[in-house]
Amino acid sequence: MLPAPNLDDRQFQDLVDEAKRLVQQRCPTWTDHNVSDPGVTLIEAFAQMVDQLIFRLNRVPDLHYVKFLELIGVELRPPAAAQGSVTFWLSAPQPQPVVVRAESQVATPRTDVSEAVVFSTVRELQILPCSFETAGSSPAGGAVDDGTASLGGVGFRCFSTPPVTGDALLVGLSNAVPSCAVLLRMNCEVSGRGVDPRRPPVVWEAQTESGWSACGVGSDETGGLNQPGDVVLHVPDSHQTSIIGQQRAGWLRCRLVEPQPDQPTYNASPTIVSVEAFTIGGTVSTVHGPKRSDRPLGRNAGSAVSAAPAARRRFGAPGHGHRGPGGRGGVVGGGSSRPFRPVHLDRPPLSHRRLRR
């Protein structure tokens, strides 16, 4: 038997103590709070009556509890399938686009005690190849300075001297890569002094039709552009080519932002010596509810109260759908917190892929 919800968890002694505190505030001349005082006797009598009312209130069924919440404007959300996102990783950069078909399935391994949790992609995903095209610096409020010619040699400084909030490093790709995971292989010199390499005050963004949008950072081995390493970016699905500094490219940028109170910032600009770029995967939304089409529901006499039972009554998780932590590299939903490992693709995927934990 499920325990009944307590709408009011106050007990007899709590009511007495609360009344005595009010006595001290409202009637400071009343100083005798012993049980022998007639006023305290009245307080305890009323506290006992209220305690009985609370006991009866807490015996109401769950339906009344829901109705009480509706009186103050709190309503239950309707059932919905859990949602998430999954990243498909390529085993190696591919020269041609790799297509992940819509309704491709990913799942956790089935065990002896639990069934596999299956999610389906909601749309087709195209993992588009790309390459590095151009790079430069964009000072805050200034013109774009093309630094492509300096790459492979002395390099160029990506921020102003000294760096100010709003400075940006621009990286142009050969084409737009919406919903793709892009790896930037950067060779940087240790010249961006003053910054904490574990918490650099920078954000990565992509040029979209509505302006600059934030990219998800999968990993950053450069320590704030201060050492050679790889940066993995999850590009938003609205990424598109645009013209900056008279050059058309799929633009990404690393922008210097205002540091937090306990976050050190740059005293000198980092130096970019070389940049490479290629696509290593793609991210797509998923839902814990398989699509069913061309399925007869049964005959209906035309009545408004007629019902047709579904073949599978429960194909989605109860409750409101939600995204997994960070929304990258896995799916969390339906009350399950088990992470997924990403799928590695070296050829066009099948309609069903099972993820291993």
Side-chain angles (χ1 to χ4, degrees):
M1 179 178 179
L2 296 177
N6 286 328
L7 302 180
D8 193 335
D9 58 358
R10 291 178 299 176
Q11 299 180 357
F12 169 78
Q13 192 59 46
D14 298 326
L15 297 171
V16 172
D17 295 340
E18 184 177 354
K20 289 183 177 180
R21 285 193 295 269
L22 291 176
V23 166
Q24 296 175 2
Q25 297 174 5
R26 305 292 178 84
C27 188
T29 58
W30 184 356
T31 58
D32 187 4
H33 299 157
N34 295 319
V35 293
S36 59
D37 186 80
V40 174
T41 303
L42 291 175
I43 288 177
E44 292 180 344
F46 281 105
Q48 184 179 7
M49 296 172 60
V50 174
D51 183 48
Q52 294 177 356
L53 290 175
I54 292 176
F55 176 79
R56 296 181 61 185
L57 179 64
N58 287 334
R59 302 279 73 76
V60 300
D62 291 349
L63 179 60
H64 289 185
Y65 183 60
V66 173
K67 294 299 181 181
F68 293 149
L69 291 177
E70 291 178 352
L71 291 176
I72 60 176
V74 179
E75 297 181 356
L76 289 176
R77 291 179 177 177
Q83 300 177 2
S85 61
V86 65
T87 297
F88 294 85
W89 299 101
L90 299 175
S91 59
Q94 301 295 311
Q96 300 296 330
V98 176
V99 178
V100 180
R101 294 194 295 268
E103 301 181 31
S104 297
Q105 295 184 340
V106 293
T108 59
R110 184 173 59 182
T111 65
D112 295 337
V113 296
S114 63
E115 292 290 331
V117 181
V118 180
F119 283 74
S120 302
T121 58
V122 299
R123 62 176 178 85
E124 181 181 275
L125 170 66
Q126 291 194 7
I127 304 178
L128 303 174
C130 72
S131 60
F132 171 75
E133 190 76 16
T134 182
S137 60
S138 176
V144 176
D145 183 14
D146 188 358
T148 309
S150 301
L151 296 176
V154 296
F156 67 93
R157 294 186 178 273
C158 58
F159 298 150
S160 304
T161 304
V164 297
T165 301
D167 290 347
L169 163 67
L170 296 175
V171 177
L173 306 179
S174 57
N175 53 273
V177 283
S179 302
C180 292
V182 175
L183 185 143
L184 300 179
R185 182 155 292 163
M186 310 182 71
N187 185 8
C188 310
E189 291 185 354
V190 185
S191 58
R193 297 184 299 272
V195 71
D196 183 354
R198 298 167 299 181
R199 294 175 40 194
V202 296
V203 294
W204 283 92
E205 299 171 322
Q207 181 71 50
T208 65
E209 57 185 0
S210 59
W212 291 100
S213 300
C215 293
V217 180
S219 62
D220 186 354
E221 301 173 354
T222 65
L225 305 177
N226 267 323
Q227 64 185 14
D230 296 340
V231 180
V232 177
L233 301 177
H234 295 272
V235 182
D237 55 10
S238 55
H239 187 223
Q240 65 178 16
T241 57
S242 58
I243 298 177
I244 297 180
Q246 300 181 351
Q247 297 191 51
R248 176 175 291 276
W251 289 101
L252 306 173
R253 75 175 181 179
C254 178
R255 181 169 57 91
L256 181 61
V257 297
E258 190 71 27
Q260 299 295 326
D262 60 341
Q263 186 179 26
T265 189
Y266 292 92
N267 296 328
S269 172
T271 300
I272 309 300
V273 178
S274 65
V275 181
E276 297 179 58
F278 40 86
T279 305
I280 60 173
T283 302
V284 66
S285 298
T286 58
V287 63
H288 183 43
K291 183 179 179 181
R292 296 289 183 265
S293 58
D294 299 329
R295 296 291 183 90
L297 296 179
R299 296 184 178 181
N300 192 298
S303 173
V305 297
S306 299
R312 293 184 63 187
R313 295 178 180 271
R314 182 180 180 184
F315 57 87
H320 191 66
H322 61 280
R323 294 189 179 274
R328 302 296 177 195
V331 180
V332 177
S336 173
S337 60
R338 293 175 292 173
F340 290 83
R341 284 186 179 178
V343 169
H344 295 269
L345 302 179
D346 53 6
R347 60 183 182 276
L350 301 175
S351 61
H352 179 90
R353 290 275 175 179
R354 183 174 294 276
L355 298 182
R356 295 183 177 179
R357 296 187 65 180

